[in-house]
Amino acid sequence: MNKRAQFDKVSLSFETPKGRLNVVEDVSYDINDGDFIAVIGPSGCGKTTMMSMLAGFQKPTTGKVLFDGRPVAGPGPERGVIFQEYGVFPWLTVKQNIAFGLTLNANHVPTAERNAICDHYLGLMGLSDFANSYPKHLSGGMRQRLAIARAYAVKPQFLLMDEPFGALDAQTRSNMQNLLLKVLETEGKTVMLITHSVEEAIYLASRIVVVTARPARIKEIIDVPFAYPRDESIQERPEFAELRSHIRQLVMDEYRAQQAQMRPVSFSE
Amino acid sequence: MNGAGVRRFGLGLLPWLGAILLWYAVRWSGFVNVSLIPAPHQVAAKFFELLTREGLLIDIFASTRRVFLGVALGILVAVPVGFLLGWYRPARTFADPMINFFRALPPIALIPLVIVYFGVDELAKLVILFYASFFSGVIVMYEGVSQITPLYIRVAQTLGANQAEIFRKVIIPLTVPHILTALRVSLGVAWATLVASELIAAQRGLGAMIQNASTYFLLDVIYVGIICIGLIALIMDLILRKITARLLVWQDRAIA
Ligand SMILES: Nc1ncnc2c1ncn2[C@@H]1O[C@H](COP(=O)(O)OP(=O)(O)OP(=O)(O)O)[C@@H](O)[C@H]1O
Ligand SMILES: [Mg+2]
């Protein structure tokens, strides 16, 4: 299979006033064309940092991050990113936000087509009534959907999504998940998704990378045995439940390890 | 005007009425010598006298033009300089002490030097006003620009924006609010510096008028001058605020 992205013995540490902080440690895995990788691990362990090396905002301290066989030199439109903080442009209306990427030279989309694409995503994301509003009038969940629409609109082949559905209610969340599956089916993308939801990881991903508490190391890489196209019925399957309890166990262990780190003084039993 | 508009207008008027009442009260209280405080109606009468017979409008025009030119030139230089200082951290470390040194100097203290180097004409006054507005504007600019988060630039990059597009479509919109704030601050500072700049042998201007009046102890003229400066500064600020509200509808303000 064609390798799109590779983490090769990647470590990253930050220099902080309190000394060196190891955030990612000796991480190696490949993301093949058409893969859907979900990364799951406790809060603050280094997931966003790992993704931002592939996005091109951070360089590994040691090791290599490759995209299409070449070391990542910086960000680019072939790697769409949905940021954890959304990054919706406050000075543009909802529609202008979606159109932003389409107006750039790199994507050169003619005006008529641009309008059609905007209207399409406005509808899909349930934002049509707010097309001409500024983001200050949107709820957190709407901003998140706007950030998703803006990233989808330029149709990147590779999507990096940092907890993209975190701010949504259960119903909208499952709509967005199904929409993502549909987009992938028609456009054949490769995805790296960070999530805290075990169910979401299993439902969407072809492979799940469980990472440890900081520094993020690979705890286990799990193949998800369900074929695409998927629908919600897989969540009723016994394999789903088995996988879920296995991954929950892994995540819980790391969560406890993190708690122990944060509270160095141990209690006597 | 609707009900809310009337109320806002009334609310804005109230403190002025209060100030005038207080003014009369101080005068009538007997704590101060009445000859040292002209009454509001006397000042108003003086205002009309100056307006109709002494060419007060010429003074207003002269001062407003000076402030306008000084601020325009000051901001014109302060915007790019402040932007560069805010954007490039090394530039900031390098220039920060320098700028704070010069900013701390009161323009009045510089007048003797300005006279030596620039003479006593219009140019000298302009230099003082330029100095005052540049240093107040540049600080606002670079403080603001250095607060811009890299997030929006990153988003633009992942959508495929090149350097020029990032500048035009992200950095400029994020800088406009700081330019407007810088403009407002330096306009205020420039009016405050006006009297000092007109100490330099000005023939006309509100500052000159106050200077001359103080020589002959014409308190009512001094009051007219002071109130004119305050009012014009207030009007300019209101206009600027309207423009700001127009340009920055997208901003999330605590109060609409
Ligand atoms: N630029 C930076 N400089 C110093 N420390 C940083 C920097 N960026 C991140 N960190 C630290 O690295 C650690 C991992 O951060 P990261 O954002 O990757 O976590 P995360 O796994 O995405 O967490 P969450 O699930 O809460 O989003 C944190 O302890 C954070 O404080
Ligand atoms: Mg994160």
Side-chain angles (χ1 to χ4, degrees):
Chain A
M1 240 189 279
N2 192 9
K3 284 177 187 162
R4 299 267 7 220
Q6 289 165 269
F7 287 85
D8 184 13
K9 299 199 181 66
V10 172
S11 299
L12 187 148
S13 52
F14 289 112
E15 294 298 341
T16 70
K18 284 189 221 143
R20 240 178 141 70
L21 186 71
N22 291 327
V23 175
V24 177
E25 204 169 86
D26 196 28
V27 164
S28 297
Y29 61 94
D30 296 342
I31 303 179
N32 297 320
D33 208 17
D35 264 354
F36 193 129
I37 301 285
V39 179
I40 197 162
S43 180
C45 71
K47 304 180 295 298
T48 298
T49 307
M50 191 191 281
M51 180 179 277
S52 72
M53 287 188 275
L54 186 50
F57 297 118
Q58 221 113 49
K59 287 227 177 340
T61 317
T62 61
K64 275 182 291 189
V65 179
L66 304 177
F67 186 75
D68 284 343
R70 283 183 300 277
V72 173
E78 71 288 345
R79 279 158 292 143
V81 181
I82 296 168
F83 290 83
Q84 193 169 9
E85 310 89 347
Y86 320 154
V88 164
F89 300 129
W91 64 92
L92 298 179
T93 63
V94 167
K95 190 166 180 180
Q96 289 168 334
N97 261 282
I98 299 176
F100 185 91
L102 306 171
T103 62
L104 302 173
N105 274 328
N107 308 305
H108 46 74
V109 180
T111 317
E113 199 181 324
R114 199 185 297 162
N115 273 324
I117 296 174
C118 285
D119 290 340
H120 174 69
Y121 285 105
L122 282 169
L124 274 184
M125 298 295 162
L127 293 169
S128 299
D129 291 344
F130 291 85
N132 299 313
S133 306
Y134 285 97
K136 66 174 175 182
H137 296 302
L138 302 185
S139 71
M142 293 163 95
R143 283 176 211 200
Q144 194 159 36
R145 279 180 273 152
L146 176 55
I148 296 171
R150 184 179 57 186
Y152 285 1
V154 296
K155 298 195 168 30
Q157 312 131 300
F158 198 107
L159 264 177
L160 297 158
M161 310 173 84
D162 197 348
E163 300 185 32
F165 310 133
L168 306 176
D169 62 86
Q171 195 52 52
T172 314
R173 187 172 186 138
S174 96
N175 280 344
M176 288 291 136
Q177 290 169 349
N178 292 328
L179 177 66
L180 175 58
L181 285 175
K182 207 154 67 199
V183 169
L184 299 185
E185 205 182 308
T186 50
E187 295 176 19
K189 292 184 199 303
T190 309
V191 181
M192 176 177 180
L193 168 105
I194 295 174
T195 180
H196 279 124
S197 157
V198 176
E199 286 84 356
E200 180 168 280
I202 304 173
Y203 180 46
L204 295 176
S206 58
R207 232 150 13 112
I208 299 173
V209 177
V210 182
V211 293
T212 62
R214 201 185 64 228
R217 276 173 278 109
I218 293 193
K219 177 136 177 120
E220 200 173 316
I221 297 183
I222 297 148
D223 282 310
V224 180
F226 305 115
Y228 296 99
R230 293 177 185 173
D231 61 57
E232 270 146 1
S233 71
I234 68 163
Q235 301 187 11
E236 315 303 330
R237 305 252 288 266
E239 302 99 300
F240 191 98
E242 263 167 52
L243 208 51
R244 178 171 57 196
S245 67
H246 175 60
I247 296 171
R248 269 195 187 151
Q249 194 55 52
L250 294 175
V251 173
M252 271 315 282
D253 288 349
E254 286 313 311
Y255 179 72
R256 279 198 209 97
Q258 188 192 45
Q259 292 290 305
Q261 266 178 21
M262 289 198 295
R263 233 184 290 125
V265 193
S266 57
F267 299 98
S268 53
E269 321 217 343
Chain B
M1 239 191 295
N2 54 12
V6 171
R7 202 162 55 232
R8 271 234 315 263
F9 186 73
L11 226 60
L13 214 60
L14 217 59
W16 299 107
L17 287 174
I20 291 171
L21 284 179
L22 190 72
W23 186 349
Y24 276 118
V26 170
R27 221 174 108 83
W28 286 330
S29 66
F31 288 128
V32 271
N33 187 339
V34 174
S35 67
L36 292 183
I37 303 187
H41 61 266
Q42 291 169 327
V43 173
K46 193 73 193 173
F47 173 80
F48 284 108
E49 187 194 320
L50 290 175
L51 196 64
T52 47
R53 276 192 268 149
E54 309 265 343
L56 179 62
L57 279 179
I58 297 173
D59 293 304
I60 290 178
F61 177 73
S63 291
T64 309
R65 203 185 57 178
R66 280 173 195 140
V67 167
F68 217 81
L69 274 176
V71 168
L73 292 175
I75 285 296
L76 214 63
V77 183
V79 164
V81 172
F83 180 82
L84 291 176
L85 293 180
W87 200 251
Y88 300 103
R89 196 168 289 278
R92 194 171 168 185
T93 329
F94 169 79
D96 201 44
M98 206 57 146
I99 288 197
N100 277 306
F101 172 86
F102 282 111
R103 189 178 67 125
L105 301 178
I108 300 181
L110 297 174
I111 287 178
L113 288 180
V114 170
I115 291 176
V116 171
Y117 300 128
F118 298 98
V120 294
D121 292 335
E122 211 49 38
L123 179 65
K125 294 161 194 95
L126 209 60
V127 167
I128 295 279
L129 287 173
F130 170 82
Y131 182 96
S133 33
F134 171 76
F135 282 104
S136 52
V138 88
I139 301 248
V140 173
M141 269 302 286
Y142 88 48
E143 287 292 343
V145 170
S146 64
Q147 306 287 317
I148 292 180
T149 85
L151 176 64
Y152 299 122
I153 293 161
R154 291 182 166 192
V155 170
Q157 285 174 324
T158 64
L159 292 167
N162 59 34
Q163 290 295 317
E165 285 168 329
I166 290 174
F167 186 75
R168 202 156 40 84
K169 294 174 172 235
V170 180
I171 295 175
I172 290 185
L174 286 172
T175 310
V176 168
H178 304 300
I179 296 179
L180 291 168
T181 313
L183 201 56
R184 274 184 70 193
V185 169
S186 56
L187 204 55
V189 172
W191 276 109
T193 315
L194 176 75
V195 179
S197 88
E198 289 179 348
L199 275 172
I200 312 172
Q203 304 289 323
R204 308 282 333 201
L206 292 168
M209 186 178 98
I210 294 172
Q211 291 303 323
N212 297 336
S214 78
T215 325
Y216 302 105
F217 210 66
L218 302 171
L219 283 176
D220 46 358
V221 177
I222 295 178
Y223 271 81
V224 171
I226 290 170
I227 291 171
C228 281
I229 291 178
L231 275 181
I232 299 167
L234 182 71
I235 291 167
M236 279 193 168
D237 194 60
L238 277 179
I239 293 172
L240 215 53
R241 272 219 289 227
K242 276 268 181 293
I243 296 174
T244 304
R246 254 302 160 66
L247 283 177
L248 304 182
V249 273
W250 54 269
Q251 272 196 341
D252 207 358
R253 292 286 179 95
I255 304 145

